[in-house]
Amino acid sequence: MNHATGRVWSPVVTPFAADLAPDTERFVGHCRWLVDQSVGLAVFGTNSEANSLGVDEKVRLLDALIDAGIPTEQLMPGTGSCSLPETVKQTRHAVSQGVAGVLMLPPFYYKGVSDEGLYRYFSEVIERVGDARLRIYLYHIPPVSQVALSLDLIARLREAFPGNIAGVKDSSGDWANTQALIERFGGDGFEVYAGSETFLLQTLRAGGAGCISATANVNPRAIAQLARSWQAGDADEQQAALLRIRKIFERFPVIAALKAATARYSDYAPWAQVRPPLIELNGLQRDELYELLDAAGFDMPGLDKR
Amino acid sequence: MNHATGRVWSPVVTPFAADLAPDTERFVGHCRWLVDQSVGLAVFGTNSEANSLGVDEKVRLLDALIDAGIPTEQLMPGTGSCSLPETVKQTRHAVSQGVAGVLMLPPFYYKGVSDEGLYRYFSEVIERVGDARLRIYLYHIPPVSQVALSLDLIARLREAFPGNIAGVKDSSGDWANTQALIERFGGDGFEVYAGSETFLLQTLRAGGAGCISATANVNPRAIAQLARSWQAGDADEQQAALLRIRKIFERFPVIAALKAATARYSDYAPWAQVRPPLIELNGLQRDELYELLDAAGFDMPGLDKR
């Protein structure tokens, strides 16, 4: 189907204090700002350093968002891990809180696993969560997870659990795969999200749902604007403008660059902190990033500055 | 240094009940049997499906072994995960129980991370655990983790934490790397373990410590025998005999094959159960495995048959 309006989600970067503990207050503030910019919150994604967080930390952060009044329909937390019981625990908690959906990685320690093994894994999770409200967005990100979700696996899961398999995020970076997903599954409400705004316009024109993109942390309003107005006459120019900003961030380790930008425009240097094994940008990289952003007239207006 | 006697550790396979919960009683029994065969217990390794277990499950299983009277000097639990707090939690618990050491994976979600990032990660873990008894065996298994531990990283960690960095398990499958580790670090008590008995004799002759091997779950006595008698005249024949058995298991998905063999020789079919995303051997594979083992005169005498 063609969506009159596309949807954009941000895999929200996670702020850390100097002791590497999540800074809950700043996290809530950043999420509020993102919702105000018209993007949803795919908290605990790859760009959130979610796999560097513990299960308990993620449960507490999600509770904090809901306690702060963030609308649950804006929430698509990542809940996939290597471990069946921990994936079930996080997913059950998220669903019980009424989130719009969960973004689920496959178990990613063992490599070369079979579709049959992955089918059993997702089936177990769905049956153990045992909640009709569960809406899973499968997370295909082979460059990082090294475990791919094939079209046949997705088809089999959809057939077995039509009410629970709601969509897919395709972070393969391979437009042919995104296109194949839309062609095969996009016709009946299954939501195919591109893994970055690089393919946002193509995705929407092909009948996909939108994108879930790292740079929706820093450039949310413009990306959401294209998703809303993709049928307008200036859509191609909008897409080109998004790419100019995107390409700046892609020159650097992206998570560190997103946090460096957030640190700058919030006037709060600790935003640059990442958890190991990631490292922050060095001084030269940071200066180069800021110069490129200035040259592009980039800003993050209205960013939480407490 | 040359070790008069090498050491062998088994990455203990984890038995599951039909509901996929760990079968604690059978786990304890299998560990007792392994210790009786003269191999140590590298519980919660790759072959243990440790990354398919939750932190709480691993803590309970380790406690069960210690409550059952398994000597702590026989224990080298795997405690590495993607998440700093969970790695610290598991490591602290294991060290508080007095284990001989811990086998630590690098954080393995993010790929292409720097030595600096990995150095910060391991440093944080060591400082947070904050226990002089902590002895880390670094776990280098790039075919699975996709995150390698370079010689320079190991050198830097040893220099900063000489009392805590006790050794390395090299599961690269690359003898040149094992040899380089032994040459660079093996001279002063740092223990270099090969990741399988394929390289056991070479490792011991070069001055390494022994091996930590999947097939030490099923062929422990013979492997331990070579580690003890590697300077004997029949060492090469012993090594050749180990390889004949090893090669049978390598024809199949190894974890499923180890469990199928354990199921057979313990007369307890549920041993074959694995957790998804892994799958058990199919009937044809199982029959082929059993035929090959019979043809080789293989047995697992004395296996726990309760």
Side-chain angles (χ1 to χ4, degrees), chain A residues 19-20 46 49 51 53-55 57 82-83 85-86 108-111 117 120-121 128 144 275-277 279-280, chain B residues 19-20 46 49 51 53-55 57 82-83 85-86 108-111 117 120-121 128 144 275-277 280:
Chain A
D19 67 354
L20 300 178
T46 299
E49 301 171 75
N51 289 104
L53 298 170
V55 174
E57 290 176 317
C82 295
S83 144
E86 291 174 353
F108 54 83
Y109 182 67
Y110 296 101
K111 307 306 187 290
R120 291 186 195 177
Y121 179 87
R128 284 168 193 237
V144 184
R275 265 196 185 174
I279 58 176
E280 69 284 354
Chain B
D19 68 354
L20 300 179
T46 300
E49 300 170 74
N51 290 104
L53 298 171
V55 174
E57 290 177 317
C82 294
S83 142
E86 291 175 352
F108 53 84
Y109 182 67
Y110 295 101
K111 307 305 187 293
R120 291 186 196 178
Y121 179 88
R128 284 169 192 235
V144 184
R275 264 195 186 175
E280 68 286 352

Side-chain angles (χ1 to χ4, degrees), chain A residues 179-249:
Chain A
Q179 196 168 29
L181 285 164
I182 296 169
E183 281 170 10
R184 183 150 171 192
F185 305 120
D188 57 354
F190 184 78
E191 298 168 38
V192 177
Y193 289 99
S196 98
E197 75 274 27
T198 306
F199 301 114
L200 178 55
L201 191 51
Q202 279 170 284
T203 296
L204 291 166
R205 283 177 175 161
C211 71
I212 305 176
S213 175
T215 29
N217 273 286
V218 289
N219 196 24
R221 186 175 293 276
I223 302 174
Q225 171 62 23
L226 175 57
R228 267 195 308 273
S229 61
W230 65 274
Q231 289 168 309
D234 69 343
D236 286 292
E237 291 95 87
Q238 285 191 58
Q239 177 70 59
L242 297 185
L243 284 183
R244 281 193 294 275
I245 300 301
R246 170 98 191 169
K247 282 183 185 307
I248 294 174
F249 284 93

Side-chain angles (χ1 to χ4, degrees), chain B residues 47-81:
Chain B
N47 292 285
S48 315
E49 300 170 74
N51 290 104
S52 302
L53 298 171
V55 174
D56 296 344
E57 290 177 317
K58 286 180 265 192
V59 165
R60 281 196 299 269
L61 286 171
L62 184 61
D63 285 343
L65 292 180
I66 289 167
D67 291 348
I70 299 283
T72 53
E73 69 266 22
Q74 301 288 351
L75 289 166
M76 187 199 288
T79 62
S81 73

Side-chain angles (χ1 to χ4, degrees), chain B residues 100-101 126 131-137 157-167 190:
Chain B
I126 293 167
D131 191 317
R133 296 171 296 174
L134 171 60
R135 289 174 59 80
I136 293 178
Y137 294 83
L157 284 167
R158 289 195 68 207
E159 192 169 354
F161 306 101
N164 301 118
I165 303 294
F190 185 79

Side-chain angles (χ1 to χ4, degrees), chain B residues 104-116:
Chain B
M104 196 175 290
L105 280 167
F108 53 84
Y109 182 67
Y110 295 101
K111 307 305 187 293
V113 296
S114 63
D115 273 9
E116 172 65 21

Side-chain angles (χ1 to χ4, degrees), chain B residues 278-290:
Chain B
L278 303 188
I279 59 175
E280 68 286 352
L281 298 190
N282 64 37
L284 281 173
Q285 290 173 315
R286 197 185 52 217
D287 292 347
E288 190 193 345
L289 171 66
Y290 292 174

Side-chain angles (χ1 to χ4, degrees), chain A residues 218 249 256-266 289-290 293 298 300:
Chain A
V218 289
F249 284 93
L258 297 173
K259 289 186 137 181
T262 309
R264 185 191 201 196
Y265 296 103
S266 66
L289 171 66
Y290 292 173
L293 292 174
F298 179 81
M300 292 173 71

